[in-house]
Amino acid sequence: MTIKSIKNIPDEEILCSGTPACAGCGGLLALRHCLKALGNKTVIVNAAGCFTLLSVYPFTPFANSWLYTAMACAPAGAQGIRDALDILIRKGRLNAQEDVKVVVLTGDGVAYDIGLASTSGAIHRNLDFYYICSDNEAYGNTGFQWSGATPFASKTATTATGCANPTGSQLAKKDLFEIWRSHKPPYLATISPSHPVDLINKFQKAEQFKGPKLFINLSPCPPGWAVDASSSVKFAKLAIDTGIWPLKEAIHGDLRHTFIPGRLKPVEEYLREQGRFAHLFRPVRQEAALQKIQEMVDRYWKEVREKEPPPSGANKQ
Amino acid sequence: MPKQLLQGNQAIAMAAEVAGVKFFAGYPITPASEIIHEMVNKRHIKVLQMEDEIASINAVIGASLAGLKAMTATSGPGFSLMQESIGLAHIMEVPLVIVNVQRVGPSTGMPTLPAQGDIIQCKHGSHGDYFPIVFYPNSVAELYKYTVMAFNAAEESLSPVILLSDGYISHLYETIVPHRDFEVVKRTRPPLGTGNRHFTGLSHENSVVKTADADNYRRLIASLQEKQQLTAQRYNYYEYCACTKETDTLLISFGALSRVAYYFRNDFALYRPIRMYPLVEEIKTIAARYKRILMMEMNTGQYVHEIESILRREIQFIPILGGCIDLGEIKREIARVG
């Protein structure tokens, strides 16, 4: 059932307070809503990342079960769980009412880099599972090193800025959404902690599908992005309003944007207050890099507007 | 040369530059990440952050065969992922350096406290028979020195050489004099792409594949073993401290733990292997002087079996587990076994 307002978000808290995550973690904000939508009958399969720190049983904020896998293969762990549960249900050893949703929860390092092959295999096998990728655009848990999700010009521990490399990361962010979409999974979406209604509705829509249901959340990361912990939602929203993080979904590969901004804010509004992009503004303004980022965003939305003219009322959150 | 305050991992990166490294590929992992952090700031070294450790070691193999001195750095979980390709680098005779900054395992263990749990993995982690050269220093100055030695040994042996460290030593800050006057072994083999040579993981003789020739395979393994032994003899590094008083006990330890062993230098004789593999033969003559041999490692007993095997005698063993080195606990353990 589609909800229209944050008032309709379920009250029940599946993710309890008091986690060891960093203050203002954008991934945790989104995860709280994801779990509200999924309910508490889930098993989370996690590979090394920031959220690994959450599950230190019995001091865990989760009201569900948890499996940790090797970094490269969380979806493979999910495959084993799903198959075993299906067999137990088929043999009558587990009541179908007690079945749980299998949810892979990883960061972008796993999703974009080391675990990409495992996810590809799971989608290809049409594994009935959810995948929530908390994308803070670097390896946040090991000191904010570059990952395949790191955007062009971001400073990270391994794309240090200096005389030799004034711009930071030279590579553009890998388009994981399109990589996953090419597998034509039943449901695939981007989400944001600043748009919880959109987030909840996407999970509810996904529920009707059997097979892979994949979500990528842009997770503002105060320590890594060098922003104030109170500003995560602000930056999540700016990412959407500037067009840097499009909210979209794909059903069996058919793409649709769930929010098409009427008029994009300049990307500078998103970039200039983040420490990881500060070198683009100080000591010398790097016009070429800023223009390149703006052009990438403009090119993307030009194509979107040609294919998907915004329906009336589509911009309401 | 002025003194510098350096972290262990910084010293490794600096020394690698002195040794002539031109290519680094790695993947973030605590407590080894500072090595890649340092490397990215070096202008004349190509540094790549790869998608995982399997990619890292294979990029290093490619770069090395194509003519560049190359290295990677990781910790236990990444070292485990590299194992298949370490075997590949041995059979293809690829000179490269792997730094393994050990942490508590198995798996993620106690992130990211130090341990010495990868000793056996260094020698037997990959399938098949191979004969690695492994160094394990115990200070920032030694990390600096033995990084250069590791590159030299790799070039001389045409094999992957492992430099072991641990979370303590690599994260330790010490003042050292970073000399640059080492004798550096230069690359002599022509780069891949010249001379129509094929490098393969299959059993071979020169570039010719011989997958069903048992005699050739035996010759190949014997020649690899002999080559490693011959090279290792030039890197016969260990530390032996005869006790200031008369003692019947030899205390053996290495890496971070050996720094605590110095506390007992007035009670016991001390032995510390620096070249872990192949084993330093001098341990036989040193051990013969003592009735009792005591050994401690930050694992449940890995290197002790190697020492027992070479000495053919029983050793009293003290495991120091949990990433914690506590002098009081070590004293109690020594009293318990003794």
Side-chain angles (χ1 to χ4, degrees), chain A residues 209-227:
Chain A
F209 299 106
K210 194 171 168 63
K213 297 167 273 281
L214 314 158
F215 300 85
I216 311 172
N217 179 60
L218 183 70
S219 305
C221 169
W225 293 16
V227 297

Side-chain angles (χ1 to χ4, degrees), chain A residues 48 52-53 68-69 71-72 109-110 112-115 139 141-143 145-147 156-160 163-164 174, chain B residues 27-30 32-34 36-38 40-43 47-54 81 103 107-109 111-112:
Chain A
T52 304
L53 304 176
Y68 179 70
T69 69
M71 199 165 176
V110 165
Y112 284 69
D113 294 340
I114 188 170
Y139 288 83
N141 193 32
T142 49
Q145 292 90 358
W146 175 93
S147 82
T156 69
T158 47
T159 52
C163 297
K174 203 189 271 186
Chain B
Y27 188 72
I29 189 163
T30 313
S33 291
E34 293 86 358
I36 188 171
H37 295 176
E38 283 296 310
V40 294
N41 293 316
K42 298 194 182 299
R43 277 196 169 202
V47 179
L48 283 179
Q49 188 186 318
M50 303 300 288
E51 61 271 23
D52 58 32
E53 288 87 348
I54 300 173
L81 284 180
R103 58 188 246 190
S107 183
T108 312
T112 46

Side-chain angles (χ1 to χ4, degrees), chain B residues 19-23 67-71 151 155 184-187:
Chain B
V21 72
K22 289 286 179 282
F23 184 92
L68 299 183
K69 284 193 178 181
M71 75 180 291
F151 274 98
E155 292 301 322
V184 169
V185 178
K186 291 207 167 75
R187 176 64 59 92

Side-chain angles (χ1 to χ4, degrees), chain B residues 40 53 59 66 69 84 86 93 98 129 134 139 141 145-146 192 194 217 219 221 243 272 293 307 310 316 320:
Chain B
V40 294
E53 288 87 348
K69 284 193 178 181
E84 183 193 0
I86 291 173
E93 301 186 64
I98 304 162
D129 291 299
V134 180
S139 68
K145 174 183 172 184
Y146 288 101
L192 181 66
T194 59
Y217 178 78
R219 282 198 303 275
I221 296 300
C243 186
R272 172 171 72 97
I293 298 178
I307 299 286
I310 195 172
Q316 291 178 323
I320 305 294

Side-chain angles (χ1 to χ4, degrees), chain B residues 153-324:
Chain B
E155 292 301 322
E156 287 181 8
S157 65
L158 297 179
S159 76
V161 171
I162 294 161
L163 180 76
L164 280 177
S165 179
D166 53 60
Y168 275 135
I169 304 296
S170 268
H171 281 173
L172 192 66
Y173 280 85
E174 287 183 310
T175 307
I176 71 164
V177 180
H179 292 290
R180 301 184 71 88
D181 51 357
F182 289 99
E183 191 178 321
V184 169
V185 178
K186 291 207 167 75
R187 176 64 59 92
T188 49
R189 187 158 65 179
L192 181 66
T194 59
N196 193 27
R197 289 163 301 144
H198 288 208
F199 290 89
T200 168
L202 298 168
S203 178
H204 56 270
E205 188 170 36
N206 298 321
S207 275
V208 182
V209 170
K210 292 185 175 178
T211 53
D213 184 340
D215 283 342
N216 178 69
Y217 178 78
R218 289 171 196 144
R219 282 198 303 275
L220 173 66
I221 296 300
S223 72
L224 292 178
Q225 186 170 18
E226 187 186 358
K227 178 190 66 171
Q228 298 298 91
Q229 287 289 356
L230 283 173
T231 306
Q233 281 171 16
R234 293 193 283 275
Y235 298 89
N236 222 19
Y237 295 110
Y238 63 94
E239 184 182 10
Y240 168 58
C241 307
C243 186
T244 49
K245 297 179 202 159
E246 199 164 305
T247 179
D248 64 351
T249 301
L250 178 68
L251 176 61
I252 302 176
S253 59
F254 44 79
L257 205 50
S258 63
R259 296 175 69 103
V260 183
Y262 294 136
Y263 177 85
F264 298 100
R265 64 185 175 277
N266 295 325
D267 303 310
F268 309 126
L270 306 177
Y271 175 77
R272 172 171 72 97
I274 300 173
R275 193 192 77 205
M276 301 290 284
Y277 292 110
L279 264 71
V280 174
E281 292 282 326
E282 278 78 351
I283 181 62
K284 290 181 186 168
T285 35
I286 292 168
R289 299 170 200 154
Y290 301 94
K291 270 191 199 165
R292 183 169 78 127
I293 298 178
L294 197 56
M295 189 159 175
M296 53 183 187
E297 301 176 56
M298 296 175 77
N299 58 52
T300 57
Q302 295 195 10
Y303 203 65
V304 64
H305 298 303
E306 300 282 4
I307 299 286
E308 274 178 343
S309 169
I310 195 172
L311 298 182
R312 297 180 185 277
R313 56 189 277 199
E314 200 176 316
I315 292 173
Q316 291 178 323
F317 180 69
I318 299 171
I320 305 294
L321 301 177
C324 168

